[in-house]
Amino acid sequence: KLRTLDLDACSITDIAALARLTLVQELHLSGNSILDVSPIQQMSDLQHLHLSGSTISDTDLMLLSPLTHVMVLGLDGNQIPRLDSLERMVELQRLSVVGNAISDIEPLLRNAGIGSGDVVALAGNPLNENALNVQLPELIRRGVEVTGAEPAVQELPIEVSAKPEAEASTPQPSSLPPAVPTTALIVGVN
């Protein structure tokens, strides 16, 4: 009974023959140009799936959404703009989507299974302002370790009081020093 199958970088485009391997728990297909991922749908025991650099799109990802037992999912370096299909993968513990076209991570928040102790790698994605200022901090609050992305940092003007040099040498108890504007970095985490 085959449980692990590693076919990384084997120049594979057609994986139709894999549909019969329903007991596979770990599948490595990274570095291939997979034309149709639908045969993977039959692998209901699949827990680890690696498809990095395999020309996967969000349409392909939709075909994988029935795989609700996947715990580790590697999708680095593909063409994925959206993560909507991951909402139902409630057993996800490790997700790597480095180097895609993802701007919004709301589907990860809607996935009730993603929480404390889980890891999400997001580097190299054009995350939008809402993802950086709202969604990412919410994942972090849940205890998710997020790598490759930081909450947005904003520059906010603040005023700091300082005495001009002339006043520093001569005490002037009745007057307040003028305000000197400066800039502080405030991390956008609530």
PDB file of all heavy atoms in Angstrom, residues 119-141:
ATOM      1  N   VAL A 119       1.232  27.381  10.693  1.00  0.00           N
ATOM      2  CA  VAL A 119       2.231  28.221  10.026  1.00  0.00           C
ATOM      3  C   VAL A 119       1.750  28.543   8.621  1.00  0.00           C
ATOM      4  O   VAL A 119       1.329  27.650   7.882  1.00  0.00           O
ATOM      5  CB  VAL A 119       3.602  27.512   9.960  1.00  0.00           C
ATOM      6  CG1 VAL A 119       4.623  28.366   9.231  1.00  0.00           C
ATOM      7  CG2 VAL A 119       4.100  27.147  11.355  1.00  0.00           C
ATOM      8  N   VAL A 120       1.827  29.831   8.260  1.00  0.00           N
ATOM      9  CA  VAL A 120       1.471  30.282   6.915  1.00  0.00           C
ATOM     10  C   VAL A 120       2.628  31.110   6.372  1.00  0.00           C
ATOM     11  O   VAL A 120       3.043  32.086   7.000  1.00  0.00           O
ATOM     12  CB  VAL A 120       0.169  31.128   6.935  1.00  0.00           C
ATOM     13  CG1 VAL A 120      -0.128  31.687   5.551  1.00  0.00           C
ATOM     14  CG2 VAL A 120      -1.001  30.307   7.441  1.00  0.00           C
ATOM     15  N   ALA A 121       3.164  30.730   5.212  1.00  0.00           N
ATOM     16  CA  ALA A 121       4.260  31.460   4.563  1.00  0.00           C
ATOM     17  C   ALA A 121       3.704  32.235   3.379  1.00  0.00           C
ATOM     18  O   ALA A 121       3.113  31.647   2.470  1.00  0.00           O
ATOM     19  CB  ALA A 121       5.349  30.487   4.099  1.00  0.00           C
ATOM     20  N   LEU A 122       3.891  33.570   3.403  1.00  0.00           N
ATOM     21  CA  LEU A 122       3.267  34.451   2.409  1.00  0.00           C
ATOM     22  C   LEU A 122       4.258  35.308   1.616  1.00  0.00           C
ATOM     23  O   LEU A 122       3.821  36.165   0.847  1.00  0.00           O
ATOM     24  CB  LEU A 122       2.282  35.395   3.113  1.00  0.00           C
ATOM     25  CG  LEU A 122       1.043  34.764   3.720  1.00  0.00           C
ATOM     26  CD1 LEU A 122       0.346  35.736   4.659  1.00  0.00           C
ATOM     27  CD2 LEU A 122       0.097  34.308   2.627  1.00  0.00           C
ATOM     28  N   ALA A 123       5.523  35.149   1.785  1.00  0.00           N
ATOM     29  CA  ALA A 123       6.509  36.018   1.130  1.00  0.00           C
ATOM     30  C   ALA A 123       6.294  36.070  -0.383  1.00  0.00           C
ATOM     31  O   ALA A 123       5.835  35.106  -0.993  1.00  0.00           O
ATOM     32  CB  ALA A 123       7.924  35.530   1.421  1.00  0.00           C
ATOM     33  N   GLY A 124       6.619  37.230  -0.963  1.00  0.00           N
ATOM     34  CA  GLY A 124       6.568  37.359  -2.411  1.00  0.00           C
ATOM     35  C   GLY A 124       5.184  37.467  -2.997  1.00  0.00           C
ATOM     36  O   GLY A 124       4.980  37.159  -4.175  1.00  0.00           O
ATOM     37  N   ASN A 125       4.209  37.892  -2.211  1.00  0.00           N
ATOM     38  CA  ASN A 125       2.849  38.113  -2.690  1.00  0.00           C
ATOM     39  C   ASN A 125       2.502  39.592  -2.529  1.00  0.00           C
ATOM     40  O   ASN A 125       2.887  40.207  -1.539  1.00  0.00           O
ATOM     41  CB  ASN A 125       1.844  37.267  -1.895  1.00  0.00           C
ATOM     42  CG  ASN A 125       1.884  35.815  -2.277  1.00  0.00           C
ATOM     43  OD1 ASN A 125       1.448  35.447  -3.359  1.00  0.00           O
ATOM     44  ND2 ASN A 125       2.437  34.991  -1.415  1.00  0.00           N
ATOM     45  N   PRO A 126       1.763  40.166  -3.479  1.00  0.00           N
ATOM     46  CA  PRO A 126       1.402  41.584  -3.395  1.00  0.00           C
ATOM     47  C   PRO A 126       0.186  41.806  -2.483  1.00  0.00           C
ATOM     48  O   PRO A 126      -0.888  42.186  -2.944  1.00  0.00           O
ATOM     49  CB  PRO A 126       1.087  41.943  -4.849  1.00  0.00           C
ATOM     50  CG  PRO A 126       0.535  40.667  -5.418  1.00  0.00           C
ATOM     51  CD  PRO A 126       1.328  39.566  -4.747  1.00  0.00           C
ATOM     52  N   LEU A 127       0.357  41.563  -1.187  1.00  0.00           N
ATOM     53  CA  LEU A 127      -0.757  41.704  -0.252  1.00  0.00           C
ATOM     54  C   LEU A 127      -1.272  43.141  -0.244  1.00  0.00           C
ATOM     55  O   LEU A 127      -0.482  44.083  -0.183  1.00  0.00           O
ATOM     56  CB  LEU A 127      -0.323  41.302   1.156  1.00  0.00           C
ATOM     57  CG  LEU A 127       0.110  39.847   1.332  1.00  0.00           C
ATOM     58  CD1 LEU A 127       0.553  39.605   2.773  1.00  0.00           C
ATOM     59  CD2 LEU A 127      -1.004  38.888   0.943  1.00  0.00           C
ATOM     60  N   ASN A 128      -2.594  43.286  -0.276  1.00  0.00           N
ATOM     61  CA  ASN A 128      -3.188  44.628  -0.284  1.00  0.00           C
ATOM     62  C   ASN A 128      -3.190  45.216   1.132  1.00  0.00           C
ATOM     63  O   ASN A 128      -2.836  44.551   2.108  1.00  0.00           O
ATOM     64  CB  ASN A 128      -4.587  44.619  -0.908  1.00  0.00           C
ATOM     65  CG  ASN A 128      -5.596  43.805  -0.116  1.00  0.00           C
ATOM     66  OD1 ASN A 128      -5.531  43.701   1.108  1.00  0.00           O
ATOM     67  ND2 ASN A 128      -6.549  43.222  -0.826  1.00  0.00           N
ATOM     68  N   GLU A 129      -3.613  46.460   1.231  1.00  0.00           N
ATOM     69  CA  GLU A 129      -3.600  47.181   2.505  1.00  0.00           C
ATOM     70  C   GLU A 129      -4.463  46.492   3.554  1.00  0.00           C
ATOM     71  O   GLU A 129      -4.086  46.386   4.724  1.00  0.00           O
ATOM     72  CB  GLU A 129      -4.072  48.618   2.285  1.00  0.00           C
ATOM     73  CG  GLU A 129      -3.892  49.496   3.492  1.00  0.00           C
ATOM     74  CD  GLU A 129      -4.248  50.943   3.202  1.00  0.00           C
ATOM     75  OE1 GLU A 129      -3.906  51.455   2.119  1.00  0.00           O
ATOM     76  OE2 GLU A 129      -4.883  51.553   4.082  1.00  0.00           O
ATOM     77  N   ASN A 130      -5.637  46.010   3.169  1.00  0.00           N
ATOM     78  CA  ASN A 130      -6.513  45.322   4.106  1.00  0.00           C
ATOM     79  C   ASN A 130      -5.873  44.025   4.615  1.00  0.00           C
ATOM     80  O   ASN A 130      -5.980  43.692   5.792  1.00  0.00           O
ATOM     81  CB  ASN A 130      -7.874  45.042   3.459  1.00  0.00           C
ATOM     82  CG  ASN A 130      -8.902  44.589   4.478  1.00  0.00           C
ATOM     83  OD1 ASN A 130      -9.032  45.181   5.534  1.00  0.00           O
ATOM     84  ND2 ASN A 130      -9.624  43.533   4.143  1.00  0.00           N
ATOM     85  N   ALA A 131      -5.214  43.318   3.731  1.00  0.00           N
ATOM     86  CA  ALA A 131      -4.531  42.090   4.144  1.00  0.00           C
ATOM     87  C   ALA A 131      -3.433  42.399   5.158  1.00  0.00           C
ATOM     88  O   ALA A 131      -3.283  41.694   6.162  1.00  0.00           O
ATOM     89  CB  ALA A 131      -3.945  41.373   2.930  1.00  0.00           C
ATOM     90  N   LEU A 132      -2.678  43.476   4.912  1.00  0.00           N
ATOM     91  CA  LEU A 132      -1.584  43.830   5.817  1.00  0.00           C
ATOM     92  C   LEU A 132      -2.060  44.430   7.131  1.00  0.00           C
ATOM     93  O   LEU A 132      -1.495  44.142   8.192  1.00  0.00           O
ATOM     94  CB  LEU A 132      -0.642  44.815   5.113  1.00  0.00           C
ATOM     95  CG  LEU A 132       0.169  44.237   3.955  1.00  0.00           C
ATOM     96  CD1 LEU A 132       0.865  45.343   3.196  1.00  0.00           C
ATOM     97  CD2 LEU A 132       1.156  43.202   4.448  1.00  0.00           C
ATOM     98  N   ASN A 133      -3.094  45.273   7.090  1.00  0.00           N
ATOM     99  CA  ASN A 133      -3.522  46.013   8.279  1.00  0.00           C
ATOM    100  C   ASN A 133      -4.598  45.326   9.103  1.00  0.00           C
ATOM    101  O   ASN A 133      -4.744  45.621  10.280  1.00  0.00           O
ATOM    102  CB  ASN A 133      -4.031  47.404   7.885  1.00  0.00           C
ATOM    103  CG  ASN A 133      -2.921  48.265   7.355  1.00  0.00           C
ATOM    104  OD1 ASN A 133      -1.789  48.180   7.804  1.00  0.00           O
ATOM    105  ND2 ASN A 133      -3.232  49.088   6.377  1.00  0.00           N
ATOM    106  N   VAL A 134      -5.373  44.431   8.510  1.00  0.00           N
ATOM    107  CA  VAL A 134      -6.494  43.811   9.210  1.00  0.00           C
ATOM    108  C   VAL A 134      -6.350  42.284   9.262  1.00  0.00           C
ATOM    109  O   VAL A 134      -6.352  41.687  10.336  1.00  0.00           O
ATOM    110  CB  VAL A 134      -7.841  44.202   8.547  1.00  0.00           C
ATOM    111  CG1 VAL A 134      -9.008  43.519   9.234  1.00  0.00           C
ATOM    112  CG2 VAL A 134      -8.020  45.720   8.544  1.00  0.00           C
ATOM    113  N   GLN A 135      -6.243  41.658   8.100  1.00  0.00           N
ATOM    114  CA  GLN A 135      -6.266  40.198   8.038  1.00  0.00           C
ATOM    115  C   GLN A 135      -5.016  39.558   8.646  1.00  0.00           C
ATOM    116  O   GLN A 135      -5.120  38.604   9.428  1.00  0.00           O
ATOM    117  CB  GLN A 135      -6.446  39.757   6.582  1.00  0.00           C
ATOM    118  CG  GLN A 135      -7.752  40.226   5.991  1.00  0.00           C
ATOM    119  CD  GLN A 135      -7.779  40.190   4.476  1.00  0.00           C
ATOM    120  OE1 GLN A 135      -6.789  39.859   3.816  1.00  0.00           O
ATOM    121  NE2 GLN A 135      -8.928  40.530   3.908  1.00  0.00           N
ATOM    122  N   LEU A 136      -3.861  40.064   8.297  1.00  0.00           N
ATOM    123  CA  LEU A 136      -2.610  39.513   8.822  1.00  0.00           C
ATOM    124  C   LEU A 136      -2.539  39.631  10.354  1.00  0.00           C
ATOM    125  O   LEU A 136      -2.253  38.633  11.034  1.00  0.00           O
ATOM    126  CB  LEU A 136      -1.422  40.213   8.146  1.00  0.00           C
ATOM    127  CG  LEU A 136      -0.041  39.703   8.470  1.00  0.00           C
ATOM    128  CD1 LEU A 136       0.102  38.248   8.099  1.00  0.00           C
ATOM    129  CD2 LEU A 136       1.004  40.529   7.728  1.00  0.00           C
ATOM    130  N   PRO A 137      -2.820  40.808  10.924  1.00  0.00           N
ATOM    131  CA  PRO A 137      -2.832  40.890  12.387  1.00  0.00           C
ATOM    132  C   PRO A 137      -3.844  39.941  13.042  1.00  0.00           C
ATOM    133  O   PRO A 137      -3.593  39.413  14.120  1.00  0.00           O
ATOM    134  CB  PRO A 137      -3.203  42.354  12.662  1.00  0.00           C
ATOM    135  CG  PRO A 137      -2.746  43.088  11.456  1.00  0.00           C
ATOM    136  CD  PRO A 137      -2.977  42.132  10.315  1.00  0.00           C
ATOM    137  N   GLU A 138      -4.977  39.709  12.381  1.00  0.00           N
ATOM    138  CA  GLU A 138      -5.975  38.777  12.932  1.00  0.00           C
ATOM    139  C   GLU A 138      -5.425  37.352  12.955  1.00  0.00           C
ATOM    140  O   GLU A 138      -5.631  36.619  13.929  1.00  0.00           O
ATOM    141  CB  GLU A 138      -7.277  38.854  12.144  1.00  0.00           C
ATOM    142  CG  GLU A 138      -8.347  37.900  12.628  1.00  0.00           C
ATOM    143  CD  GLU A 138      -8.742  38.078  14.090  1.00  0.00           C
ATOM    144  OE1 GLU A 138      -8.649  39.204  14.618  1.00  0.00           O
ATOM    145  OE2 GLU A 138      -9.143  37.072  14.712  1.00  0.00           O
ATOM    146  N   LEU A 139      -4.739  36.941  11.903  1.00  0.00           N
ATOM    147  CA  LEU A 139      -4.114  35.606  11.907  1.00  0.00           C
ATOM    148  C   LEU A 139      -3.115  35.496  13.046  1.00  0.00           C
ATOM    149  O   LEU A 139      -3.072  34.487  13.761  1.00  0.00           O
ATOM    150  CB  LEU A 139      -3.406  35.331  10.575  1.00  0.00           C
ATOM    151  CG  LEU A 139      -4.252  34.885   9.401  1.00  0.00           C
ATOM    152  CD1 LEU A 139      -3.398  34.730   8.150  1.00  0.00           C
ATOM    153  CD2 LEU A 139      -4.984  33.589   9.697  1.00  0.00           C
ATOM    154  N   ILE A 140      -2.316  36.527  13.226  1.00  0.00           N
ATOM    155  CA  ILE A 140      -1.305  36.532  14.287  1.00  0.00           C
ATOM    156  C   ILE A 140      -1.981  36.463  15.656  1.00  0.00           C
ATOM    157  O   ILE A 140      -1.536  35.729  16.544  1.00  0.00           O
ATOM    158  CB  ILE A 140      -0.394  37.769  14.149  1.00  0.00           C
ATOM    159  CG1 ILE A 140       0.450  37.647  12.857  1.00  0.00           C
ATOM    160  CG2 ILE A 140       0.508  37.930  15.375  1.00  0.00           C
ATOM    161  CD1 ILE A 140       1.165  38.916  12.456  1.00  0.00           C
ATOM    162  N   ARG A 141      -3.075  37.190  15.850  1.00  0.00           N
ATOM    163  CA  ARG A 141      -3.830  37.138  17.110  1.00  0.00           C
ATOM    164  C   ARG A 141      -4.358  35.734  17.405  1.00  0.00           C
ATOM    165  O   ARG A 141      -4.479  35.331  18.550  1.00  0.00           O
ATOM    166  CB  ARG A 141      -5.002  38.126  17.087  1.00  0.00           C
ATOM    167  CG  ARG A 141      -4.670  39.473  17.698  1.00  0.00           C
ATOM    168  CD  ARG A 141      -5.926  40.289  17.934  1.00  0.00           C
ATOM    169  NE  ARG A 141      -6.560  40.763  16.723  1.00  0.00           N
ATOM    170  CZ  ARG A 141      -6.147  41.795  16.002  1.00  0.00           C
ATOM    171  NH1 ARG A 141      -5.072  42.453  16.348  1.00  0.00           N
ATOM    172  NH2 ARG A 141      -6.792  42.168  14.917  1.00  0.00           N
TER     173      ARG A 141
END
